[in-house]
Amino acid sequence: QGVVGCLKHFPGIGSTTSDTHNGLAYTNRTVEEFRAEEFQVFKAGMDAGAKMIMVGHVTAEGLATAQGEAGAPLPASMSEAIITGYLRGELGYQGVIITDALNMSAISEYYSSEQAAVMALKAGCDMVLMPENFLQAYAGVLNAVVDGTISEERINDSLRRIYRIKYGAGFND
């Protein structure tokens, strides 16, 4: 029917009590707990053919440092250790990775649209969803490519994954 499903919210938000729409959400789960529980669910979805995974804004100290730029909390959606290390590396995911909405308070209270978009792409996301200010996010990504913060090849890797979904699902327009 022209719809591509998306698993969410990696690495798992079941153990949080907060809502990232309203602010920070933390989980104190260990890497062993994630591997035994949440990762198994995502792996089953990958094995079933999931073409996209959304990374949530939860801060998971058991998987990666919780500190980002200038001491701001580092959510999973901006963590290279979580996205590239666990999701792409350990779990071997080759599909498209998208952030949760970047206009949510867990992000917008701590990062500009430009910072959030650049950090998410550098961490390994292929797509950024709903930055608070699209034009600033777009300009930030362009500037990051021009100044070498993000390589053009890194962007092209994401485009190849996105095109694989578009053309594989018949979205040729």
Side-chain angles (χ1 to χ4, degrees):
Q1 297 300 316
V3 175
V4 174
C6 181
L7 301 176
K8 61 182 201 174
H9 297 90
F10 190 83
I13 59 171
S15 64
T16 63
T17 57
S18 301
D19 182 347
T20 55
H21 290 90
N22 303 321
L24 293 176
Y26 291 95
T27 179
N28 59 1
R29 296 181 73 86
T30 65
V31 66
E32 292 80 15
E33 290 171 317
F34 274 107
R35 284 181 177 133
E37 297 173 22
E38 284 90 342
F39 286 7
Q40 296 301 313
V41 175
F42 283 97
K43 187 67 173 148
M46 290 177 218
D47 291 346
K51 304 224 181 315
M52 291 182 73
I53 292 180
M54 178 180 283
V55 180
H57 300 317
V58 64
T59 300
E61 293 182 29
L63 296 177
T65 180
Q67 295 300 310
E69 294 179 7
L74 186 64
S77 56
M78 297 179 178
S79 170
E80 184 174 2
I82 292 174
I83 297 167
T84 301
Y86 289 105
L87 185 52
R88 289 244 190 256
E90 184 173 319
L91 296 174
Y93 186 63
Q94 298 302 312
V96 171
I97 298 173
I98 187 170
T99 67
D100 203 346
L102 295 178
N103 64 355
M104 295 165 64
S105 293
I107 301 300
S108 63
E109 286 183 21
Y110 301 95
Y111 298 96
S112 70
S113 295
E114 177 180 343
Q115 288 173 310
V118 170
M119 289 175 70
L121 293 173
K122 281 181 60 177
C125 289
D126 298 303
M127 299 172 72
V128 294
L129 177 65
M130 297 170 52
E132 191 167 51
N133 183 311
F134 173 80
L135 293 177
Q136 286 178 3
Y138 179 74
V141 171
L142 288 179
N143 290 334
V145 172
V146 168
D147 73 17
T149 301
I150 299 174
S151 73
E152 190 171 335
E153 184 57 30
R154 168 69 193 82
I155 298 298
N156 289 338
D157 287 343
S158 290
L159 289 173
R160 281 189 279 276
R161 283 189 281 271
I162 294 164
Y163 288 154
R164 243 188 340 255
I165 290 175
K166 280 185 71 165
Y167 295 113
F171 302 133
N172 298 327
D173 297 335

